[in-house]
Amino acid sequence: MKKILLIEDEEILINLLNKKLIQEGYEVFITRNGVDGLAKMREIKPDLILLDIIMPKMGGLEVMEEMQKDEELKNFPVIIISNSGQPVEIDRIKKLGARDWLIKTEFNPQEVIDKIKKQI
């Protein structure tokens, strides 16, 4: 069973994605901030990470910066989930190694599944 780590602080989105991912046969792990997310990555070695940008303690960009410094973490595929689709932000997340991204206000749960399947 493929492991998905969801690092997100919005409860509605967590519940929606968790339910959809479980229905699709994924094992889901949830953390609500970047610090806990990094610790969970080391613990479970996920097949893919769904990562929010704006979160308490440590945001998604900082998480990706930390991942790039760590040989064990830097190759995990990351899909960013963001409220912003600004070109400058998308450019930065691509440079930090994100494989794909979703805009929170524009995606549906099936789109998340399609993007995950493309990556793993």
Side-chain angles (χ1 to χ4, degrees):
M1 187 181 284
K2 298 280 186 187
K3 293 183 274 194
I4 307 288
L5 174 57
L6 174 59
I7 308 174
E8 168 64 63
D9 63 331
E10 246 175 79
E11 283 303 319
I12 293 167
L13 197 57
I14 289 170
N15 294 333
L16 179 80
L17 288 172
N18 188 39
K19 186 176 173 190
K20 183 68 176 168
L21 291 165
I22 289 169
Q23 280 175 350
E24 293 288 328
Y26 294 104
E27 187 176 7
V28 183
F29 298 86
I30 298 165
T31 63
R32 288 168 172 78
N33 66 67
V35 173
D36 294 345
L38 284 166
K40 189 58 88 174
M41 278 177 222
R42 288 184 177 93
E43 180 190 329
I44 66 163
K45 315 250 183 303
D47 295 290
L48 185 125
I49 298 160
L50 293 172
L51 179 63
D52 188 13
I53 295 285
I54 312 284
M55 292 180 292
K57 292 188 186 174
M58 180 188 286
L61 296 174
E62 292 83 5
V63 168
M64 292 192 71
E65 287 166 358
E66 289 302 310
M67 288 175 70
Q68 290 306 310
K69 296 178 203 167
D70 189 317
E71 284 302 314
E72 188 184 1
L73 305 181
K74 73 179 188 183
N75 294 319
F76 292 137
V78 174
I79 296 177
I80 294 291
I81 303 173
S82 173
N83 281 318
S84 162
Q86 298 300 318
V88 64
E89 183 181 87
I90 289 170
D91 193 48
R92 180 150 183 234
I93 62 174
K94 279 201 259 184
K95 283 188 176 126
L96 286 169
R99 304 272 179 94
D100 211 336
W101 61 90
L102 295 152
I103 309 303
K104 285 183 182 181
T105 54
E106 298 172 6
F107 82 89
N108 67 51
Q110 189 55 49
E111 185 184 357
V112 176
I113 300 303
D114 294 343
K115 287 183 182 272
I116 290 170
K117 285 181 177 169
K118 202 167 110 185
Q119 297 301 330
I120 56 175

